[in-house]
Amino acid sequence: MKRNLYSCALILGLLSASCSKDYLNRYPTDSPSSDTFLTNEDQLDMAVIGAYNTLYSNPSVAPLPFAFAIDYASDIAWERNTNDLQKLGGGLADVNNTFTSNYWSLLYAGISRCNAILDKANQLALVVPAEKLDTRISEVRFLRAYYYFYLNELFGGVPLITRTLNLSEANVPKSTKEEVNDFILNELDDITTKLPITISAENTGRISRGAALALASRAALFNKKWAKSVSAAKALMDLNHYELNPNFGELFTYSGENSKEIILATQYNKALDKIQGIPSQYLSRYLGGFSNKIPVQSLIDSYECTDGLSIDKSTLYNVNKPFENRDPRLAQTIVLPQSLLWGTVFETHPDSLRTWDYSSGSAVRVNNTDATNAYSTFSGFLWRKYTDELDRPDRTKSELNTILIRYAEVLLNYVEAKVELGEIDDSVYDAINEIRQRPNVNMPIITKGKSIDQMRSIVRKERKYELSGEGLRWFDIRRWGIAHEVMNGPLLGRIRNGWLSNPPEIDANGTPDYTNVRNKAEMRIIENRIFNKDRDYVWPIPRLETEVNTSLEQNNNY
C-alpha cells in the first residue's frame, strides 16, 4: 500500500466542515471554518491536507487532474465528447462555458482553504512547534501560489485575495497579470529555504524546496522574466537532488513513481478513496476505454527522425513505414497503429475487422472494435502515458500518481530562458543534450554554435516532444504568440486506410503544414476550429462572477 501525506485520518472531514456547495461557486467572500477550528496541531494537519486536496480536483468533464485536461484545448489533442471542453478547443467558448467556470471555482476554493489557514498563523504559533509550523505554512503558501499561477495564466489577471474576506469586501477588481505573477514569485522566494530539500517516505507528496524553485522557474518563464527563470532553475539544478529517469516511458507507470526526476506529483491511494480515471479516458475501445481524449496527427508528425532531422528533411523517413526511425519518445508517448497496447495490436484501419490479442500468452484473433466502433479514436492514435497494465482490473480507479512538475521541464525552462537572454553557453547545450541523451531516448546531441533563432526553435520543439500530454502545451502556444496560427482551421487525424503520400513541411516551432501533401484530402477532419486572436488568448471570466462582483471586468471580446 502506498504511504504518503494522505495517510492522515479524517481527510475528508475538513472539506465538509470548511466549505458549502454554494460557497465554492465563487471566490472566497467569508470564513470557510468556524471560530473554533484551527486551534491545535492536529487541526492544522487536517487543514493543510484540505489545501492539498485541490490538486486532485477534476474538471467537470474528466476524471483526471485539472492540470492535465487543459491540453485538450490545445493544438496537440482533442476531446471527443460533445461538451464545453470541446467547445473551448474549437474556439466556441463564451462566458457560460462550464469547463472554464469549473476551473475558476475549484482554484479559488483551493485559495480559500489556504487563506483560512494563513489567517490563523499567529494563533497557531502558540500551539504548534515553530519548525513544523514554518514548514506547513510554507506548503500552504506554495499551494496558494500554484493555484494562482493557473488562474493568472488561464484568465490573464484575476482578483488577488490573500486573506478571508467579509461579504462587504466581496467586490474585488482584477489585479493585472504582472501583479499576480509578482505576488507568486515573491511568495515562492520567501518560502523556498523554509521547505525541506528531501521529503521523507511518510511525507511523500508534500511540497519540497525543489517544487518551489521549479514553480518559480515556470512562472517567471511564462511571463518573460528570463533572468529570474534562469536563477530559479539553476538553484534547483545545484541542489543535485534530481536527475532524469533513464527510461522515459517508465516515468508514467507504477514502476516510475519513485523516480528522482519527479519533483511534485499527486499521490493516489484506493484505500483513502484517492483515485484517478485516466486509463478509462485514454485506452482503446477493445480494452474497455472510451478513447475520448486523444492526440492528433499534427503531434505525431512533429517528432524528428533518429538522425535529429524533421520528417520533411530526413532521408530516414519512410512514407510507407512512417513510425520507423523516429524519436523514441514518439512511441513512448503515443499508441501508434500496429503497436502493442496491453498485449493487443492497436489498429484503426477500417479493413482491420480482426486483430491479435497476446495477453493470455498465446496469439488469439479477436474482433477489432477500434476499427468498427463509432466512438473509437477519431485521430487513429491514443495516449500511452499513464496507461499501465496494472490498471487492467479497473480502468476507472487507478492509483498511478500523476506528475505535476518534473526535472526535465526545469532543464527546458533553463535552456529557453538562457536563449532569450542571448546567453547560449555550454550549460545550455549540456542541459538540452542531457534530455535528448536520456539512455532510452538517445537522440543526437545539439552541436554548439547555434544562433538564438536556431536554439529557440530547438527548445520549442523539444518541449513538444518531451512534455506532450502533461498539461503544458496550451500555455506554450500562447506565451510564444502562435496560438492563433496553430489553433485555426481543420484539426486532422490519420488517413484511415493508409499513410501520407509525402511528409508535411515542419516549421520552426515543430508545427506541420499539410498544404503540399498530395493526399491531404484523404486525412480525417476531426473538427474545424476557429481562434479569435483578439479574444482567445485567455479564457472568459464566468458570467456569474461578473454579475456577483460588479468590480470584476470581463476579458476582451467575451
Side-chain angles (χ1 to χ4, degrees):
M1 180 178 292
K2 294 186 178 186
R3 299 181 63 204
N4 51 52
L5 79 163
Y6 283 93
S7 296
C8 178
L10 301 177
I11 299 166
L12 299 180
L14 171 68
L15 302 183
S16 60
S18 64
C19 300
S20 70
K21 184 176 181 180
D22 289 339
Y23 177 81
L24 298 186
N25 288 334
R26 59 183 66 90
Y27 57 83
T29 58
D30 203 355
S31 174
S33 61
S34 72
D35 291 338
T36 60
F37 190 69
L38 272 179
T39 58
N40 59 52
E41 189 173 346
D42 289 341
Q43 290 178 352
L44 172 64
D45 287 337
M46 287 170 49
V48 173
I49 289 171
Y52 272 95
N53 199 69
T54 298
L55 292 177
Y56 296 78
S57 297
N58 298 332
S60 55
V61 299
L64 67 164
F66 74 83
F68 281 29
I70 303 169
D71 263 358
Y72 300 94
S74 78
D75 62 322
I76 64 169
W78 186 61
E79 161 66 27
R80 177 179 56 76
N81 287 344
T82 303
N83 56 37
D84 277 358
L85 172 54
Q86 187 186 89
K87 289 180 182 177
L88 180 65
L92 302 175
D94 59 23
V95 297
N96 298 306
N97 187 277
T98 58
F99 182 80
T100 57
S101 63
N102 187 231
Y103 273 71
W104 182 280
S105 297
L106 71 86
L107 291 166
Y108 268 118
I111 290 166
S112 169
R113 294 174 187 145
C114 294
N115 284 341
I117 298 168
L118 298 173
D119 285 347
K120 295 198 172 184
N122 290 336
Q123 296 99 303
L124 288 165
L126 302 175
V127 294
V128 180
E131 184 176 356
K132 177 176 181 177
L133 182 61
D134 275 352
T135 300
R136 294 290 176 265
I137 291 298
S138 296
E139 292 175 46
V140 171
R141 291 173 70 183
F142 172 92
L143 292 168
R144 184 174 63 176
Y146 185 83
Y147 303 147
Y148 265 125
F149 167 81
Y150 277 92
L151 281 168
N152 199 39
E153 296 301 323
L154 294 171
F155 294 97
V158 293
L160 181 57
I161 300 167
T162 60
R163 61 179 177 84
T164 303
L165 302 181
N166 296 317
L167 287 172
S168 62
E169 303 173 294
N171 282 351
V172 181
K174 285 193 293 186
S175 295
T176 66
K177 189 169 187 285
E178 183 176 9
E179 288 169 341
V180 178
N181 190 64
D182 286 344
F183 169 79
I184 291 167
L185 293 176
N186 289 335
E187 284 287 281
L188 295 171
D189 281 348
D190 196 47
I191 65 174
T192 295
T193 57
K194 300 173 185 177
L195 290 164
I197 296 173
T198 301
I199 302 295
S200 60
E202 62 270 22
N203 286 312
T204 299
R206 287 194 181 273
I207 305 304
S208 65
R209 185 176 303 180
L213 290 168
L215 181 58
S217 178
R218 182 194 290 183
L221 182 76
F222 284 17
N223 289 272
K224 296 181 169 53
K225 295 182 180 293
W226 314 122
K228 175 61 180 176
S229 183
V230 168
S231 64
K234 183 64 164 57
L236 183 143
M237 294 155 66
D238 288 345
L239 292 177
N240 293 316
H241 186 71
Y242 301 99
E243 60 185 46
L244 297 182
N245 202 67
N247 184 318
F248 177 76
E250 183 184 60
L251 274 169
F252 313 102
T253 66
Y254 285 101
S255 61
E257 285 187 324
N258 296 317
S259 170
K260 290 184 177 180
E261 183 167 344
I262 298 171
I263 298 171
L264 180 63
T266 48
Q267 308 290 308
Y268 292 97
N269 189 321
K270 287 181 182 177
L272 298 170
D273 198 31
K274 287 293 176 187
I275 54 174
Q276 49 92 346
I278 291 176
S280 69
Q281 304 292 299
Y282 290 4
L283 284 171
S284 67
R285 301 298 297 197
Y286 175 74
L287 291 174
F290 300 123
S291 305
N292 61 357
K293 289 178 174 54
I294 56 173
V296 297
Q297 182 78 45
S298 61
L299 173 60
I300 281 72
D301 291 335
S302 297
Y303 284 82
E304 297 172 343
C305 291
T306 51
D307 58 4
L309 299 175
S310 56
I311 61 174
D312 59 334
K313 295 180 174 61
S314 175
T315 58
L316 297 178
Y317 182 70
N318 183 344
V319 293
N320 297 313
K321 297 179 179 179
F323 311 124
E324 291 187 358
N325 304 316
R326 302 289 293 279
D327 184 328
R329 287 171 294 187
L330 171 59
Q332 294 176 71
T333 299
I334 309 295
V335 183
L336 302 165
Q338 288 297 306
S339 67
L340 286 176
L341 177 64
W342 290 15
T344 64
V345 176
F346 172 72
E347 179 56 82
T348 58
H349 192 295
D351 294 339
S352 298
L353 302 181
R354 307 269 283 174
T355 191
W356 291 102
D357 187 336
Y358 300 93
S359 60
S360 64
S362 58
V364 179
R365 198 73 170 154
V366 295
N367 291 332
N368 182 18
T369 51
D370 290 296
T372 59
N373 191 295
Y375 298 105
S376 59
T377 172
F378 282 27
S379 70
F381 307 97
L382 299 171
W383 291 110
R384 191 176 295 277
K385 288 179 177 178
Y386 296 107
T387 55
D388 192 307
E389 193 166 358
L390 291 176
D391 284 324
R392 183 184 284 270
D394 193 341
R395 297 146 184 80
T396 64
K397 296 180 180 178
S398 174
E399 291 186 292
L400 180 56
N401 297 342
T402 51
I403 302 169
L404 302 178
I405 308 175
R406 58 187 177 94
Y407 187 50
E409 181 202 341
V410 177
L411 292 177
L412 290 169
N413 294 347
Y414 177 80
V415 171
E416 183 176 344
K418 288 277 284 185
V419 169
E420 296 301 334
L421 287 170
E423 299 175 357
I424 307 176
D425 54 25
D426 287 352
S427 69
V428 169
Y429 293 104
D430 290 344
I432 200 162
N433 286 327
E434 186 176 351
I435 294 171
R436 291 174 64 85
Q437 290 279 287
R438 191 191 297 262
N440 86 321
V441 172
N442 197 30
M443 287 293 287
I445 64 169
I446 302 300
T447 56
K448 297 178 182 179
K450 299 292 188 293
S451 67
I452 290 176
D453 284 343
Q454 288 173 321
M455 282 303 300
R456 182 181 291 126
S457 170
I458 288 166
V459 71
R460 289 184 178 186
K461 291 178 180 179
E462 201 67 27
R463 286 184 70 91
K464 197 175 187 182
Y465 311 147
E466 181 74 18
L467 302 173
S468 285
E470 298 180 48
L472 292 171
R473 180 64 179 176
W474 186 96
F475 302 102
D476 283 351
I477 60 176
R478 279 162 173 75
R479 65 192 182 82
W480 294 334
I482 64 171
H484 62 285
E485 300 171 2
V486 300
M487 292 295 294
N488 256 324
L491 185 69
L492 300 171
R494 68 166 285 194
I495 295 173
R496 292 196 68 202
N497 58 357
W499 311 115
L500 300 178
S501 59
N502 56 290
E505 295 182 2
I506 311 298
D507 73 9
N509 295 310
T511 304
D513 179 351
Y514 296 93
T515 302
N516 296 324
V517 174
R518 293 187 295 275
N519 60 347
K520 175 188 175 182
E522 298 176 37
M523 299 178 73
R524 183 168 191 166
I525 298 178
I526 299 171
E527 70 175 4
N528 282 299
R529 288 177 157 179
I530 58 175
F531 191 95
N532 183 340
K533 186 178 181 180
D534 297 321
R535 183 192 67 190
D536 295 335
Y537 269 85
V538 292
W539 286 358
I541 295 173
R543 176 183 56 80
L544 178 62
E545 302 303 330
T546 59
E547 291 178 351
V548 171
N549 177 5
T550 56
S551 297
L552 184 56
E553 184 180 351
Q554 182 58 259
N555 285 328
N556 290 338
N557 298 313
Y558 280 110

